[in-house]
């Protein structure tokens, strides 16, 4: 098969993976595939587990890391079983930031790169599929649309816990574009991509005097204030920070301990509360 035919085949496969429907359609999909609503930690853990696990002398080896990481079996088992596994079960470990420390050429960057590339591939599979509110710059979880007072009923019917609140932008879109009809809100399947800034982000601190917190959290777009009339209008905000774009996925924070304190305050509220302002 020549390269042009392969490109055509690739394009056809891309089209098959796409999905779009209403929130009501998405709920029907959840009945068939409840794993679609898994958390970010759960998705990473399942990605590693689905690649295969071998046990030898009481120690586990993960096929996911076999191609590039060697001699780190003990550290990798600790990473998977003491961080990702309990975090996938929604235990308090998920409120901790995973900090990789070690000597130069110890495999830290390789490990992170493997997780990021793996997530890009995994979201293209059925088990790793991710769905988001269509048109949302933060790729928000559609289940955030369910009102707080109905979430216990939803859990009883679907067996899925809903965490997090609908963002101000989607709250406004729900009222203005859909007249409050949650079941009509459009939902689409998304695919993580670091290049396209979907679900995977990388933050590299530079000079503390010139680094802007907006690189991490986005900022107000002052050019739109005349149009929307107020800085507090969510449409006047640029959701282009690394935390915004990496929502639902994975963000690499390089040289974290060398960063200015103001950048770490956001991470504290983000990990503990699950949101930031």
């Amino acid at each position: 098969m020549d390269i042009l035919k392969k490109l055509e085949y690739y394009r056809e496969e891309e089209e098959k993976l796409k999905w779009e429907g209403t929130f009501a359609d998405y709920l029907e999909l959840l009945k068939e595939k409840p794993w679609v609503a898994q958390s970010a930690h759960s998705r990473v853990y399942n990605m590693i587990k689905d690649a295969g696990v071998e046990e030898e002398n009481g120690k586990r080896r993960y096929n996911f890391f076999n191609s590039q990481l060697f001699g780190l079996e003990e550290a990798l088992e600790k990473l998977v079983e003491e961080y990702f596994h309990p975090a996938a079960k929604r235990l308090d470990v998920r409120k901790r930031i995973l900090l990789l420390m070690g000597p130069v050429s110890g495999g830290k960057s390789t490990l992170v790169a493997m997780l990021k590339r793996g997530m890009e591939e995994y979201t293209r599979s059925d088990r790793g599929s991710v769905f988001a509110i269509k048109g949302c710059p933060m790729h928000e979880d559609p289940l955030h649309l369910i009102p707080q007072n109905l979430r216990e009923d939803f859990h009883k019917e679907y067996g899925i816990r809903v965490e997090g609140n609908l963002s101000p932008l989607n709250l406004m879109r729900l009222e203005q574009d859909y007249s409050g009809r949650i079941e009509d809100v459009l939902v689409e399947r998304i695919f993580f991509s670091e290049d396209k800034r979907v679900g995977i982000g990388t933050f590299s601190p530079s000079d503390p005097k010139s680094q802007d917190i907006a690189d991490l959290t986005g900022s107000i777009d002052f050019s739109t204030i005349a149009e929307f009339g107020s800085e507090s209008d969510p449409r006047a905000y640029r959701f282009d920070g690394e935390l915004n774009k990496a929502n639902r996925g994975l963000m690499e924070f390089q040289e974290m301990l060398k960063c200015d304190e103001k950048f770490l305050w956001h991470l504290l509220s983000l990990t503990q509360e699950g949101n930031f302002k």
Side-chain angles (χ1 to χ4, degrees):
M1 187 184 291
D2 63 29
I3 190 65
L4 292 177
K5 287 183 179 179
K6 287 182 179 180
L7 285 172
E8 185 179 350
Y9 176 74
Y10 173 79
R11 191 163 54 248
E12 289 173 357
E13 290 299 306
E14 287 282 293
E15 287 298 318
K16 289 178 184 177
L17 289 175
K18 291 179 181 178
W19 185 94
E20 183 178 313
T22 63
F23 183 68
D25 297 329
Y26 176 67
L27 291 182
E28 288 299 316
L29 185 68
L30 276 185
K31 288 181 179 178
E32 298 174 30
K33 305 175 180 179
W35 64 81
V36 163
Q38 64 188 326
S39 66
H41 285 102
S42 178
R43 192 171 289 109
V44 174
Y45 175 69
N46 287 327
M47 171 187 71
I48 296 171
K49 189 180 69 172
D50 289 352
V53 183
E54 299 175 6
E55 287 207 32
E56 187 178 333
N57 299 324
K59 293 187 176 181
R60 295 185 176 183
R61 294 180 53 132
Y62 303 93
N63 295 337
F64 179 82
F65 303 108
N66 279 354
S67 63
Q68 295 187 50
L69 294 175
F70 308 94
L72 295 174
E73 287 77 13
E74 189 176 335
L76 291 173
E77 184 176 1
K78 190 174 180 181
L79 168 71
V80 176
E81 297 303 330
E82 295 184 21
Y83 181 74
F84 284 120
H85 194 182
K89 294 183 175 180
R90 299 181 186 267
L91 300 180
D92 273 0
V93 174
R94 69 199 173 107
K95 294 185 178 181
R96 299 176 189 171
I97 295 171
L98 178 62
L99 182 62
L100 302 179
M101 297 186 70
V104 176
S105 298
K108 304 183 298 296
S109 298
T110 302
L111 172 61
V112 176
M114 289 186 75
L115 290 175
K116 291 196 290 188
R117 298 293 84 78
M119 287 296 282
E120 290 181 344
E121 288 299 315
Y122 194 59
T123 56
R124 303 170 71 82
S125 70
D126 188 53
R127 285 278 297 167
S129 52
V130 186
F131 295 82
I133 297 173
K134 186 175 183 181
C136 175
M138 289 181 62
H139 329 295
E140 191 165 4
D141 187 346
L143 294 183
H144 286 180
L145 290 161
I146 299 174
Q148 290 286 348
N149 60 334
L150 295 179
R151 291 186 177 182
E152 193 58 41
D153 295 333
F154 178 78
H155 177 249
K156 290 176 182 176
E157 184 177 348
Y158 287 83
I160 298 170
R161 289 277 181 197
V162 182
E163 296 179 342
N165 299 317
L166 195 62
S167 64
L169 177 63
N170 283 322
L171 197 59
M172 175 179 280
R173 291 179 62 207
L174 175 62
E175 295 300 325
Q176 293 188 355
D177 299 345
Y178 298 99
S179 303
R181 290 182 57 83
I182 294 172
E183 62 270 29
D184 293 340
V185 175
L186 290 177
V187 175
E188 64 179 349
R189 183 175 179 181
I190 61 171
F191 307 98
F192 288 174
S193 169
E194 186 173 19
D195 293 338
K196 295 179 181 178
R197 303 190 75 204
V198 178
I200 296 176
T202 302
F203 182 77
S204 303
S206 56
D207 179 12
K209 294 180 181 178
S210 62
Q211 183 87 60
D212 189 358
I213 192 73
D215 296 341
L216 195 62
T217 62
S219 62
I220 294 170
D221 186 352
F222 291 100
S223 66
T224 63
I225 293 176
E227 181 183 353
F228 300 125
S230 170
E231 290 182 16
S232 61
D233 191 307
R235 293 170 297 177
Y237 200 84
R238 287 199 309 254
F239 296 88
D240 58 355
E242 290 303 317
L243 284 176
N244 304 112
K245 296 302 181 183
N247 186 36
R248 317 271 311 281
L250 182 74
M251 190 190 84
E252 178 187 6
F253 198 126
Q254 298 174 353
E255 301 293 348
M256 180 183 288
L257 300 182
K258 296 179 183 178
C259 200
D260 192 82
E261 270 189 7
K262 66 181 180 180
F263 291 87
L264 306 183
W265 294 337
H266 276 290
L267 297 185
L268 184 63
S269 63
L270 185 67
T271 52
Q272 298 303 309
E273 307 299 330
N275 59 56
F276 64 91
K277 291 186 179 180

